Amino acid sequence: MHIKPLTLIFALYLLLILFTYWLKYLNLSHLKRFGSSIPPEFEGQIDQTLLNKARGYTIENIRFGFFSSIFNKAILLLFLFGGLLDSYNSWIIALNLPFIFSGVIFFMLLIYADTILEIPFSLYHTFVIEKSYGFSTMTIKLWITDFAKSILISSLLSVLIISIGLWLVQQSPNLWWFWVWCFFFAYSIFIIYISPYVIEPLFNKFTPIDNKTLEDGINNLMQKVGIKVSRIFKMDASKRTRHTNAYFTGIGKVKRIVLYDTLVEKMNDDEALAVLAHEVGHWKKRHIIKFIIVSEVIALIASYIGFKILQGELLINLFNIKDSSFFAKAILLGFLGSIAAFPFTPLFNYFSRKYEIEADRFACKLTGEKEGMINALVKLSKDNLSNLHPHPLYAAFYYSHPPVLKRIRIIKSTSINAH
């Protein structure tokens, strides 16, 4: 009995979807079974009421993710396997427009369609789930304003990226894969540099922190490791959410530190310094550089493989597309690429968790104590209603950070000899 290759691809994708749903089911079942027990690390820090609230929040997000995923996957399968891509591609070709202009219309309409389909889910998550659990402080007016700004910025950047990418394809038919890779690499570095100064201020207000003791502590911490800090800012995250965070931006030796106002409000100085020391650990251990190198090497290899596949008509024939086009091939290649990349998800997350543990240990050695980091993790878990009981297999596959209980236990066993 002969099975068509397209049927095999469809079946393989369905199996991957079912596998992810099985992992979510495992996680949900594990939470329902163990989610009512307070771990020893949280005794005295969390009561049964808060634990039940965290459990409910996790369950609600898992269910929401399940239904939104079903919807998105159904639309994707209908588009690729139900003939919609074929009709859409033929319509674009029939417009008889120049190559770059056709490509911009082809991809931008798909981007806008995806954005529109995501609106109901975004609204429900923000104004139902996040509101009901006390996280979202977003107003409808602010949501609309953010949405409009995001659409405008993403449209400008997307048109620029698509136009330049297709221009490179047109100008260098045999080596475009390399030039496109160079362009995307340069663009990503440019965005990292320009975003804190141009894009982020469009959404948030950044002001100097008004805690002199904390500011001095941060400067002393940075001097220990030889990092120059241009400015230390507080961001008005509380106008959208009560979640807490802190991050570094900048390229080279000069860094810009941003603290959420929610973090400054909820954590004492030692805890805030521990969180920043963790971020310093990522810089000093060169985790970001390692991640960029690995990502770019993989991207370069994928670009070449994609170039070879796009040269022929394999994808067009495989998916029964009536009219051949570079754009339709690119969409199909991206779909098959997502299937090929799926098995690497747990591998990348394994190294990410490894880096997080290294950063935790670095933070303890840098600050010379463990309690700040432990207390910060406990507060972050409480404030964000984190799942304290993820299923080990689910965590191994999807978690970029080790489960919080594991992080605390590792920190407690860490030696804090002089850094």
Side-chain angles (χ1 to χ4, degrees):
M1 179 178 171
H2 179 69
I3 301 177
K4 293 182 178 179
L6 188 61
T7 304
L8 286 174
I9 293 172
F10 185 83
L12 176 59
Y13 189 66
L14 284 182
L15 283 175
L16 292 183
I17 293 173
L18 291 175
F19 175 72
T20 62
Y21 291 165
W22 175 69
L23 286 177
K24 290 178 182 179
Y25 169 76
L26 277 183
N27 198 38
L28 190 60
S29 301
H30 193 75
L31 178 61
K32 288 181 177 179
R33 184 179 177 187
F34 299 102
S36 297
S37 62
I38 299 176
E41 291 80 3
F42 280 77
E43 286 181 358
Q45 300 287 338
I46 187 171
D47 57 23
Q48 200 63 50
T49 301
L50 188 59
L51 188 64
N52 290 339
K53 186 179 180 181
R55 182 184 177 207
Y57 179 65
T58 302
I59 290 173
E60 187 120 20
N61 273 299
I62 290 174
R63 288 174 176 166
F64 172 76
F66 177 75
F67 287 114
S68 63
S69 173
I70 287 179
F71 177 81
N72 290 330
K73 296 294 191 297
I75 294 294
L76 177 63
L77 291 175
L78 182 64
F79 183 71
L80 295 179
F81 295 91
L84 292 181
L85 173 60
D86 186 29
S87 300
Y88 179 68
N89 180 61
S90 295
W91 174 69
I92 292 292
I93 291 175
L95 295 176
N96 198 28
L97 299 170
F99 177 70
I100 295 175
F101 194 34
S102 293
V104 169
I105 293 176
F106 184 97
F107 291 112
M108 290 305 298
L109 289 180
L110 292 180
I111 290 172
Y112 288 141
D114 180 65
T115 302
I116 291 170
L117 290 173
E118 283 296 319
I119 288 176
F121 297 100
S122 175
L123 289 171
Y124 183 85
H125 186 262
T126 301
F127 292 101
V128 178
I129 297 178
E130 293 291 297
K131 281 277 189 186
S132 64
Y133 283 90
F135 286 126
S136 178
T137 55
M138 180 81 75
T139 63
I140 286 291
K141 180 181 178 181
L142 183 57
W143 188 92
I144 293 172
T145 302
D146 281 355
F147 182 78
K149 289 178 183 177
S150 297
I151 285 290
L152 178 60
I153 294 169
S154 63
S155 295
L156 291 173
L157 293 178
S158 296
V159 169
L160 177 69
I161 293 169
I162 294 167
S163 300
I164 294 177
L166 293 178
W167 181 80
L168 292 170
V169 170
Q170 196 175 49
Q171 294 299 310
S172 183
N174 297 319
L175 204 58
W176 64 259
W177 60 274
F178 177 73
W179 298 120
V180 167
W181 174 82
C182 290
F183 166 66
F184 275 104
F185 177 64
Y187 171 79
S188 63
I189 298 299
F190 172 74
I191 286 296
I192 290 172
Y193 178 79
I194 202 72
S195 180
Y197 305 101
V198 178
I199 298 176
E200 291 176 15
L202 295 175
F203 295 90
N204 290 98
K205 185 178 179 182
F206 296 84
T207 56
I209 62 171
D210 48 11
N211 184 334
K212 187 68 168 59
T213 305
L214 178 58
E215 185 177 8
D216 290 342
I218 292 173
N219 284 322
N220 290 334
L221 200 69
M222 299 303 124
Q223 285 176 8
K224 281 185 182 180
V225 290
I227 293 178
K228 286 186 178 180
V229 178
S230 59
R231 300 290 296 275
I232 303 170
F233 291 101
K234 182 172 67 174
M235 188 181 87
D236 61 339
S238 57
K239 71 178 183 180
R240 292 181 178 83
T241 181
R242 291 190 175 92
H243 287 293
T244 54
N245 199 8
Y247 62 92
F248 275 70
T249 59
I251 296 175
K253 292 183 178 180
V254 179
K255 304 291 182 291
R256 190 172 187 256
I257 295 175
V258 177
L259 308 174
Y260 280 24
D261 57 355
T262 49
L263 182 138
V264 174
E265 177 188 336
K266 294 178 180 179
M267 291 191 179
N268 63 38
D269 291 355
D270 288 341
E271 293 159 356
L273 287 174
V275 172
L276 285 174
H278 172 91
E279 298 303 322
V280 170
H282 284 307
W283 282 100
K284 296 304 289 186
K285 294 290 184 179
R286 302 186 182 278
H287 294 158
I288 290 93
I289 297 297
K290 291 175 183 176
F291 175 78
I292 290 175
I293 291 172
V294 172
S295 299
E296 292 304 325
V297 168
I298 292 173
L300 181 60
I301 295 171
S303 296
Y304 180 72
I305 294 173
F307 163 73
K308 299 300 287 186
I309 294 174
L310 292 175
Q311 278 188 311
E313 299 298 314
L314 174 65
L315 296 177
I316 295 297
N317 297 329
L318 185 62
F319 282 82
N320 302 313
I321 304 298
K322 182 171 61 178
D323 300 310
S324 178
S325 80
F326 178 87
F327 320 125
K329 290 180 187 178
I331 292 291
L332 296 173
L333 181 65
F335 171 69
L336 294 179
S338 70
I339 296 176
F342 183 80
F344 295 97
T345 301
L347 179 63
F348 284 116
N349 282 329
Y350 165 78
F351 284 105
S352 177
R353 292 192 299 272
K354 183 172 176 287
Y355 290 162
E356 294 300 327
I357 291 171
E358 288 182 5
D360 281 346
R361 286 174 169 158
F362 182 95
C364 293
K365 293 176 181 179
L366 179 60
T367 58
E369 52 94 21
K370 306 176 187 179
E371 291 306 310
M373 194 71 221
I374 292 173
N375 292 337
L377 288 174
V378 170
K379 280 190 178 179
L380 285 169
S381 300
K382 287 169 56 181
D383 292 341
N384 294 310
L385 297 179
S386 300
N387 180 11
L388 303 181
H389 301 279
H391 191 281
L393 184 58
Y394 183 88
F397 205 91
Y398 283 117
Y399 273 35
S400 60
H401 290 58
V404 67
L405 296 181
K406 183 176 180 180
R407 289 181 72 179
I408 291 174
R409 288 163 189 168
I410 290 173
I411 289 170
K412 285 183 175 180
S413 67
T414 298
S415 170
I416 53 172
N417 295 328
H419 176 72

